[in-house]
Structures are given as structure tokens and as C-alpha cells.
Amino acid sequence: MKTLIQVPDLNSEQCKRIIIRNLSRILDLRILDISVENKTISIRYNHPFTLEKVKKELMRIKNALHSLTDYNESEMSF
């Protein structure tokens, strides 16, 4: 199965690296593409429970991405 996931907090290459690092730990998952520009992640997997693992992992790291976004935006306001 193939899925495209919208990730509103995906705003930088650093966010992309965090997502790749964390999702790469999930077995039966292949990351096809991560677009910072479109704020999307394209994945392929075989079992529906794999998608649930992806959702849980993205929720777990959401605060880290959100904090990183806030930091980057405040840094740019100088």
C-alpha cells in the first residue's frame, strides 16, 4: 500500500532528517519521498498496522518538530 501524509510542521531539512531517523526504525516501511516544500511524506508498506505505527511515531515527534519550527521562525525574525 502507498500513502501520502501531510505534515504541517515539516518546515526544514532538519525536520526532514528527524522524520527519516525516526520512521526508519519501523519495519515493513519504505519512505519513498519527503517533501519539505509540499510538507508531505510518501510511504509504502504491506500491513495496515504499519501505518498505525507511523501515525503514532509522527504524533510522538510532533512536539519536537513544532518546537524546532518555533525556534527557526523566531531566529529568522531578527
Side-chain angles (χ1 to χ4, degrees):
M1 293 176 262
K2 189 175 175 183
T3 299
L4 185 68
I5 303 168
Q6 291 287 334
V7 183
D9 294 325
L10 179 56
N11 294 315
S12 68
E13 288 298 315
Q14 188 173 5
C15 291
K16 181 177 176 177
R17 285 190 298 274
I18 291 169
I19 290 171
I20 290 170
R21 182 189 68 216
N22 286 284
L23 293 186
S24 294
R25 298 175 185 162
I26 299 174
L27 299 177
D28 186 39
L29 175 69
R30 182 170 177 213
I31 302 169
L32 301 175
D33 184 49
I34 297 181
S35 172
V36 174
E37 189 174 290
N38 298 324
K39 299 181 186 248
T40 58
I41 303 170
S42 178
I43 59 171
R44 183 177 302 246
Y45 55 95
N46 292 325
H47 301 287
F49 64 84
T50 302
L51 182 59
E52 290 303 314
K53 288 181 183 179
V54 170
K55 289 178 185 178
K56 285 180 184 178
E57 187 61 23
L58 289 174
M59 289 300 295
R60 191 180 74 72
I61 64 173
K62 181 180 178 182
N63 290 333
L65 294 180
H66 186 69
S67 296
L68 184 62
T69 300
D70 288 345
Y71 174 76
N72 288 338
E73 287 174 0
S74 65
E75 185 179 75
M76 295 171 71
S77 66
F78 289 126

XYZ file of all heavy atoms in Angstrom:
647
model
N 0.839 -1.165 0.000
C 0.000 0.000 0.000
C 0.894 1.241 0.000
O 1.993 1.211 0.524
C -0.898 0.003 1.225
C -1.933 -1.109 1.203
S -2.909 -1.166 2.713
C -2.029 -2.469 3.552
N 0.358 2.299 -0.568
C 1.093 3.545 -0.645
C 0.234 4.652 -0.042
O -0.973 4.700 -0.274
C 1.402 3.856 -2.112
C 2.331 4.989 -2.325
C 2.653 5.102 -3.812
C 3.493 6.324 -4.063
N 3.756 6.512 -5.490
N 0.859 5.535 0.728
C 0.128 6.614 1.399
C 0.928 7.906 1.322
O 2.150 7.900 1.423
C -0.112 6.254 2.881
O -0.891 5.067 2.946
C -0.844 7.360 3.616
N 0.208 9.010 1.176
C 0.797 10.340 1.221
C 0.292 11.008 2.493
O -0.916 11.118 2.705
C 0.392 11.154 -0.007
C 1.029 12.520 -0.130
C 2.522 12.393 -0.395
C 0.368 13.305 -1.252
N 1.206 11.444 3.348
C 0.862 12.022 4.642
C 1.212 13.507 4.643
O 2.331 13.877 4.276
C 1.636 11.318 5.780
C 1.353 9.820 5.761
C 1.291 11.933 7.135
C 2.280 9.021 6.655
N 0.271 14.345 5.054
C 0.513 15.779 5.208
C 1.105 16.027 6.598
O 0.553 15.549 7.584
C -0.801 16.567 5.090
C -1.391 16.559 3.709
C -0.613 17.422 2.740
O 0.045 18.371 3.114
N -0.692 17.074 1.478
N 2.201 16.776 6.657
C 2.862 17.087 7.929
C 3.068 18.601 7.997
O 4.048 19.129 7.490
C 4.221 16.358 8.050
C 4.850 16.633 9.405
C 4.060 14.869 7.825
N 2.121 19.321 8.620
C 2.195 20.788 8.662
C 3.463 21.341 9.311
O 3.900 22.436 8.963
C 0.967 21.189 9.473
C 0.070 20.018 9.478
C 0.934 18.812 9.276
N 4.073 20.603 10.228
C 5.263 21.093 10.933
C 6.572 20.771 10.209
O 7.641 21.021 10.744
C 5.309 20.523 12.351
C 4.165 21.032 13.194
O 3.773 22.194 13.012
O 3.649 20.264 14.021
N 6.491 20.239 9.003
C 7.680 19.905 8.220
C 8.154 21.159 7.492
O 7.677 21.501 6.430
C 7.360 18.785 7.229
C 8.461 18.297 6.299
C 9.676 17.836 7.076
C 7.942 17.184 5.433
N 9.096 21.880 8.123
C 9.499 23.190 7.607
C 10.968 23.332 7.260
O 11.382 24.395 6.812
C 9.149 24.271 8.640
C 7.660 24.392 8.818
O 6.917 24.415 7.857
N 7.222 24.444 10.059
N 11.756 22.296 7.481
C 13.193 22.440 7.224
C 13.821 21.077 6.947
O 13.216 20.034 7.176
C 13.874 23.074 8.433
O 13.849 22.180 9.530
N 15.055 21.138 6.475
C 15.808 19.907 6.251
C 16.080 19.188 7.568
O 16.148 17.964 7.617
C 17.116 20.205 5.525
C 16.923 20.588 4.068
C 16.291 19.483 3.243
O 16.700 18.313 3.372
O 15.373 19.786 2.460
N 16.224 19.954 8.644
C 16.433 19.336 9.952
C 15.194 18.536 10.369
O 15.319 17.425 10.883
C 16.762 20.389 11.001
C 17.179 19.793 12.314
C 17.661 20.842 13.309
O 17.596 22.036 13.049
N 18.137 20.389 14.446
N 14.009 19.080 10.137
C 12.767 18.340 10.419
C 12.723 17.059 9.587
O 12.349 15.995 10.085
C 11.547 19.192 10.081
S 11.276 20.601 11.149
N 13.110 17.173 8.334
C 13.121 16.021 7.436
C 14.044 14.928 7.972
O 13.676 13.755 7.996
C 13.575 16.469 6.048
C 13.618 15.374 5.015
C 14.019 15.941 3.670
C 14.173 14.857 2.642
N 14.485 15.417 1.307
N 15.238 15.318 8.436
C 16.181 14.335 8.985
C 15.618 13.650 10.235
O 15.807 12.447 10.429
C 17.518 14.996 9.299
C 18.347 15.295 8.071
C 19.766 15.713 8.428
N 19.819 16.945 9.208
C 19.825 18.172 8.688
N 19.785 18.334 7.389
N 19.894 19.232 9.472
N 14.929 14.409 11.078
C 14.315 13.824 12.283
C 13.271 12.789 11.893
O 13.217 11.692 12.449
C 13.692 14.922 13.173
C 14.786 15.784 13.801
C 12.800 14.306 14.252
C 14.277 17.043 14.479
N 12.456 13.115 10.913
C 11.415 12.190 10.463
C 12.040 10.940 9.857
O 11.629 9.819 10.172
C 10.465 12.884 9.465
C 9.621 13.918 10.209
C 9.574 11.862 8.757
C 8.807 14.822 9.319
N 13.039 11.104 9.016
C 13.703 9.945 8.402
C 14.309 9.052 9.478
O 14.132 7.831 9.454
C 14.788 10.396 7.400
C 14.141 11.010 6.162
C 15.694 9.226 7.010
C 15.106 11.701 5.224
N 15.004 9.663 10.429
C 15.638 8.886 11.502
C 14.611 8.068 12.282
O 14.810 6.888 12.547
C 16.395 9.814 12.447
C 17.130 9.063 13.558
C 17.693 9.985 14.599
N 16.588 10.593 15.336
C 16.575 11.840 15.804
N 17.598 12.627 15.591
N 15.552 12.303 16.456
N 13.494 8.694 12.632
C 12.509 8.007 13.463
C 11.673 6.996 12.680
O 11.382 5.921 13.195
C 11.609 9.027 14.156
C 12.324 9.723 15.280
O 12.516 9.176 16.341
N 12.758 10.942 15.033
N 11.291 7.320 11.464
C 10.477 6.374 10.695
C 11.295 5.199 10.168
O 10.754 4.128 9.931
C 9.775 7.079 9.533
C 8.696 8.088 9.906
C 7.991 8.591 8.656
C 7.686 7.524 10.886
N 12.592 5.389 10.011
C 13.452 4.306 9.517
C 13.512 3.138 10.490
O 13.890 2.031 10.108
C 14.863 4.827 9.253
O 14.834 5.753 8.203
N 13.143 3.361 11.715
C 13.149 2.296 12.730
C 11.960 1.352 12.597
O 11.934 0.299 13.226
C 13.126 2.917 14.120
C 14.330 3.761 14.402
C 14.204 4.453 15.729
N 15.321 5.367 15.932
C 15.326 6.338 16.796
N 14.271 6.544 17.567
N 16.367 7.117 16.911
N 10.973 1.737 11.813
C 9.762 0.921 11.674
C 9.978 -0.115 10.580
O 10.264 0.231 9.421
C 8.536 1.806 11.341
C 8.301 2.806 12.470
C 7.298 0.942 11.099
C 7.211 3.824 12.177
N 9.849 -1.375 10.950
C 9.992 -2.455 9.977
C 8.808 -2.440 9.019
O 7.721 -1.954 9.346
C 10.066 -3.802 10.699
C 11.234 -3.973 11.664
C 11.149 -5.322 12.350
C 12.561 -3.799 10.965
N 8.986 -2.976 7.846
C 7.941 -3.067 6.825
C 7.516 -1.689 6.317
O 6.386 -1.481 5.912
C 6.735 -3.844 7.360
C 5.680 -4.089 6.294
O 6.057 -4.368 5.143
O 4.487 -3.993 6.603
N 8.417 -0.724 6.360
C 8.100 0.624 5.895
C 9.198 1.097 4.961
O 10.388 0.961 5.265
C 8.001 1.598 7.074
C 7.788 3.065 6.701
C 6.403 3.278 6.116
C 7.997 3.947 7.898
N 8.796 1.642 3.847
C 9.745 2.249 2.921
C 9.336 3.696 2.706
O 8.204 3.981 2.309
C 9.750 1.502 1.600
C 10.758 2.056 0.634
C 10.922 1.175 -0.567
N 11.856 1.811 -1.473
C 11.796 1.717 -2.768
N 10.844 0.994 -3.326
N 12.675 2.327 -3.530
N 10.245 4.612 3.002
C 9.998 6.033 2.766
C 10.326 6.301 1.311
O 11.463 6.146 0.878
C 10.859 6.914 3.689
C 10.578 6.591 5.154
C 10.616 8.387 3.387
C 11.551 7.212 6.128
N 9.321 6.710 0.537
C 9.530 6.978 -0.878
C 10.021 8.399 -1.124
O 10.898 8.626 -1.945
C 8.228 6.739 -1.652
C 7.648 5.325 -1.542
C 6.312 5.262 -2.240
C 8.611 4.307 -2.105
N 9.430 9.351 -0.403
C 9.813 10.746 -0.598
C 9.361 11.569 0.599
O 8.314 11.301 1.181
C 9.157 11.301 -1.870
C 9.594 12.720 -2.170
O 10.811 12.979 -2.163
O 8.715 13.573 -2.391
N 10.155 12.565 0.932
C 9.763 13.557 1.933
C 9.989 14.916 1.294
O 11.112 15.254 0.928
C 10.563 13.426 3.237
C 10.296 12.073 3.886
C 10.200 14.569 4.190
C 11.023 11.847 5.193
N 8.915 15.675 1.147
C 8.988 16.992 0.518
C 8.780 18.090 1.558
O 7.684 18.233 2.098
C 7.936 17.114 -0.578
O 7.879 18.432 -1.057
N 9.830 18.844 1.831
C 9.716 19.977 2.749
C 8.844 21.051 2.110
O 8.015 21.669 2.767
C 11.119 20.539 3.102
C 10.999 21.793 3.941
C 11.940 19.485 3.819
N 9.010 21.226 0.812
C 8.255 22.238 0.075
C 6.743 21.994 0.140
O 5.963 22.906 0.375
C 8.715 22.221 -1.381
C 8.188 23.352 -2.212
C 8.827 23.319 -3.583
O 10.026 23.605 -3.690
O 8.095 22.980 -4.527
N 6.331 20.728 -0.058
C 4.901 20.385 -0.033
C 4.415 19.933 1.333
O 3.225 19.684 1.515
C 4.617 19.286 -1.059
C 4.913 19.730 -2.465
O 4.697 20.883 -2.816
N 5.433 18.821 -3.264
N 5.364 19.749 2.272
C 5.054 19.282 3.625
C 4.370 17.914 3.601
O 3.354 17.689 4.258
C 4.205 20.303 4.382
C 4.916 21.640 4.536
C 4.067 22.618 5.291
C 4.745 23.961 5.281
N 5.211 24.385 6.534
N 4.945 16.995 2.816
C 4.364 15.664 2.677
C 5.417 14.576 2.836
O 6.602 14.790 2.589
C 3.702 15.481 1.295
O 4.671 15.701 0.281
C 2.521 16.410 1.120
N 4.919 13.402 3.238
C 5.737 12.199 3.314
C 5.015 11.134 2.503
O 3.829 10.879 2.730
C 5.897 11.699 4.760
C 6.489 12.777 5.648
C 6.734 10.426 4.806
C 6.448 12.426 7.127
N 5.724 10.512 1.597
C 5.168 9.423 0.804
C 5.806 8.127 1.282
O 7.042 8.017 1.320
C 5.469 9.661 -0.674
O 4.979 8.594 -1.446
N 4.966 7.152 1.661
C 5.480 5.886 2.195
C 4.818 4.705 1.498
O 3.729 4.818 0.925
C 5.255 5.772 3.720
C 3.767 5.878 4.070
C 6.072 6.811 4.463
C 3.431 5.567 5.504
N 5.489 3.559 1.587
C 4.934 2.294 1.096
C 5.084 1.266 2.217
O 6.117 1.219 2.892
C 5.682 1.819 -0.139
C 5.103 0.541 -0.731
C 5.840 0.168 -1.978
N 5.752 1.259 -2.928
C 5.106 1.197 -4.081
N 4.517 0.088 -4.436
N 5.081 2.238 -4.883
N 4.059 0.449 2.409
C 4.056 -0.557 3.468
C 3.148 -1.702 3.060
O 2.344 -1.570 2.126
C 3.598 0.056 4.798
C 2.262 0.742 4.701
C 1.093 0.083 5.043
C 2.153 2.042 4.223
C -0.147 0.698 4.930
C 0.926 2.667 4.104
C -0.219 1.988 4.457
O -1.438 2.595 4.325
N 3.246 -2.825 3.764
C 2.463 -4.010 3.411
C 1.281 -4.276 4.333
O 0.297 -4.850 3.917
C 3.351 -5.254 3.372
C 4.337 -5.192 2.234
O 4.038 -4.680 1.164
N 5.540 -5.693 2.465
N 1.403 -3.879 5.591
C 0.365 -4.208 6.565
C -0.258 -2.947 7.148
O 0.454 -1.984 7.436
C 0.951 -5.054 7.703
C 1.563 -6.333 7.221
N 0.809 -7.389 6.797
C 2.859 -6.692 7.069
C 1.611 -8.360 6.408
N 2.864 -7.955 6.560
N -1.574 -2.933 7.351
C -2.250 -1.747 7.908
C -1.707 -1.312 9.269
O -1.689 -0.124 9.566
C -3.711 -2.178 8.022
C -3.859 -3.294 7.063
C -2.523 -3.976 7.000
N -1.251 -2.253 10.088
C -0.733 -1.863 11.408
C 0.552 -1.047 11.280
O 0.907 -0.307 12.192
C -0.553 -3.070 12.335
C 0.465 -4.079 11.890
C 1.818 -3.902 12.167
C 0.069 -5.211 11.216
C 2.755 -4.827 11.768
C 1.000 -6.146 10.801
C 2.341 -5.957 11.079
N 1.250 -1.165 10.158
C 2.454 -0.351 9.938
C 2.078 1.120 9.844
O 2.766 1.979 10.394
C 3.191 -0.803 8.662
O 3.526 -2.181 8.788
C 4.446 0.018 8.439
N 0.982 1.429 9.184
C 0.524 2.814 9.088
C 0.172 3.359 10.471
O 0.467 4.518 10.775
C -0.673 2.937 8.146
C -1.207 4.349 7.940
C -0.148 5.283 7.379
C -2.422 4.322 7.019
N -0.396 2.530 11.313
C -0.698 2.955 12.688
C 0.589 3.285 13.448
O 0.651 4.247 14.199
C -1.504 1.881 13.430
C -2.920 1.727 12.916
C -3.703 3.029 12.963
O -3.660 3.733 13.989
O -4.353 3.352 11.953
N 1.630 2.483 13.234
C 2.921 2.764 13.866
C 3.481 4.097 13.376
O 4.036 4.864 14.153
C 3.923 1.650 13.558
C 3.650 0.359 14.272
C 4.713 -0.650 13.905
C 4.461 -1.985 14.542
N 5.488 -2.968 14.162
N 3.332 4.365 12.087
C 3.808 5.629 11.515
C 3.066 6.794 12.149
O 3.677 7.793 12.559
C 3.632 5.644 9.978
C 3.879 7.028 9.405
C 4.539 4.612 9.326
N 1.744 6.685 12.253
C 0.937 7.757 12.860
C 1.370 8.012 14.302
O 1.529 9.165 14.715
C -0.541 7.386 12.832
C -1.155 7.420 11.460
C -2.606 6.991 11.546
C -3.259 6.871 10.205
N -4.650 6.397 10.297
N 1.566 6.945 15.052
C 1.987 7.090 16.453
C 3.353 7.752 16.550
O 3.575 8.619 17.398
C 1.999 5.724 17.155
C 0.629 5.212 17.481
C 0.696 3.873 18.176
C -0.693 3.331 18.420
N -0.668 2.012 19.050
N 4.269 7.353 15.686
C 5.617 7.920 15.723
C 5.592 9.397 15.330
O 6.262 10.222 15.942
C 6.559 7.138 14.801
C 7.995 7.555 14.906
C 8.594 7.365 16.290
O 8.102 6.531 17.082
O 9.580 8.061 16.587
N 4.802 9.749 14.332
C 4.694 11.157 13.942
C 4.063 11.998 15.046
O 4.477 13.135 15.277
C 3.911 11.300 12.640
C 4.639 10.818 11.385
C 3.699 10.864 10.179
C 5.892 11.632 11.123
N 3.097 11.454 15.741
C 2.498 12.177 16.876
C 3.527 12.341 17.991
O 3.584 13.379 18.638
C 1.265 11.448 17.401
C 0.073 11.517 16.476
S -0.487 13.194 16.144
C -1.030 13.683 17.749
N 4.347 11.321 18.198
C 5.361 11.370 19.247
C 6.400 12.459 18.964
O 6.810 13.178 19.872
C 6.054 10.013 19.370
C 6.920 9.882 20.595
C 7.576 8.520 20.672
N 8.653 8.364 19.728
C 9.849 8.955 19.824
N 10.103 9.757 20.822
N 10.778 8.748 18.930
N 6.796 12.608 17.714
C 7.822 13.605 17.392
C 7.233 14.960 16.995
O 7.981 15.903 16.771
C 8.775 13.111 16.290
C 8.052 12.888 14.973
C 9.519 11.893 16.735
C 8.978 12.556 13.822
N 5.928 15.076 16.958
C 5.291 16.335 16.553
C 5.745 17.510 17.424
O 6.033 18.582 16.911
C 3.771 16.208 16.613
C 3.056 17.454 16.188
C 1.561 17.288 16.260
C 0.912 18.598 15.863
N -0.518 18.539 15.938
N 5.803 17.325 18.717
C 6.229 18.405 19.606
C 7.655 18.837 19.309
O 7.979 20.022 19.347
C 6.090 17.997 21.070
C 4.653 17.898 21.495
O 3.789 18.557 20.932
N 4.388 17.064 22.479
N 8.512 17.901 18.994
C 9.891 18.239 18.657
C 9.929 19.059 17.366
O 10.649 20.051 17.275
C 10.731 16.980 18.506
N 9.134 18.664 16.382
C 9.104 19.410 15.123
C 8.509 20.796 15.329
O 8.986 21.776 14.780
C 8.306 18.651 14.063
C 8.880 17.322 13.589
C 7.972 16.710 12.541
C 10.285 17.490 13.051
N 7.458 20.851 16.140
C 6.812 22.137 16.401
C 7.772 23.073 17.133
O 7.881 24.248 16.801
C 5.529 21.941 17.204
C 4.743 23.184 17.393
N 4.099 23.805 16.355
C 4.541 23.950 18.483
C 3.509 24.907 16.812
N 3.765 25.005 18.100
N 8.496 22.560 18.096
C 9.463 23.370 18.829
C 10.574 23.844 17.904
O 11.019 24.986 17.975
C 10.086 22.570 19.973
O 9.096 22.232 20.912
N 11.004 22.967 17.022
C 12.041 23.327 16.066
C 11.544 24.430 15.135
O 12.257 25.381 14.847
C 12.447 22.091 15.261
C 13.583 22.256 14.275
C 14.858 22.657 15.006
C 13.805 20.962 13.529
N 10.308 24.326 14.690
C 9.713 25.348 13.824
C 9.645 26.681 14.545
O 10.005 27.716 13.986
C 8.290 24.918 13.391
O 8.390 23.688 12.695
C 7.659 25.959 12.498
N 9.193 26.677 15.794
C 9.118 27.913 16.564
C 10.495 28.541 16.711
O 10.659 29.739 16.591
C 8.521 27.664 17.957
C 7.037 27.376 17.898
O 6.410 27.645 16.855
O 6.512 26.883 18.895
N 11.506 27.721 16.941
C 12.862 28.202 17.108
C 13.359 28.849 15.807
O 13.904 29.929 15.808
C 13.786 27.059 17.527
C 15.233 27.444 17.591
C 15.722 28.203 18.645
C 16.120 27.074 16.593
C 17.054 28.569 18.713
C 17.453 27.439 16.641
C 17.912 28.180 17.710
O 19.221 28.540 17.774
N 13.131 28.150 14.687
C 13.583 28.662 13.399
C 12.890 29.966 13.034
O 13.505 30.876 12.523
C 13.370 27.627 12.296
C 14.342 26.476 12.396
O 15.400 26.598 12.992
N 13.980 25.352 11.833
N 11.593 30.062 13.306
C 10.853 31.278 12.977
C 11.315 32.453 13.831
O 11.498 33.553 13.346
C 9.355 31.059 13.153
C 8.770 30.179 12.059
C 7.331 29.839 12.306
O 6.759 30.272 13.333
O 6.754 29.128 11.470
N 11.551 32.198 15.125
C 11.996 33.288 15.990
C 13.423 33.707 15.631
O 13.785 34.860 15.715
C 11.906 32.886 17.460
O 12.791 31.832 17.741
N 14.215 32.748 15.187
C 15.582 33.042 14.773
C 15.584 33.935 13.534
O 16.405 34.817 13.399
C 16.293 31.721 14.474
C 17.754 31.877 14.160
C 18.368 30.508 13.907
O 18.124 29.955 12.822
O 19.073 30.013 14.782
N 14.614 33.750 12.648
C 14.549 34.493 11.407
C 13.970 35.908 11.597
O 14.067 36.720 10.695
C 13.725 33.722 10.378
C 14.360 32.412 9.979
S 13.300 31.398 8.977
C 13.289 32.313 7.463
N 13.403 36.178 12.730
C 12.742 37.464 12.917
C 13.707 38.596 13.260
O 13.305 39.721 13.414
C 11.677 37.351 14.012
O 12.286 37.094 15.256
N 14.998 38.332 13.389
C 15.976 39.371 13.715
C 16.115 40.357 12.614
O 16.206 40.367 11.567
C 17.343 38.778 14.061
C 17.331 38.073 15.377
C 17.759 36.774 15.471
C 16.888 38.699 16.527
C 17.763 36.121 16.687
C 16.881 38.057 17.744
C 17.309 36.765 17.812
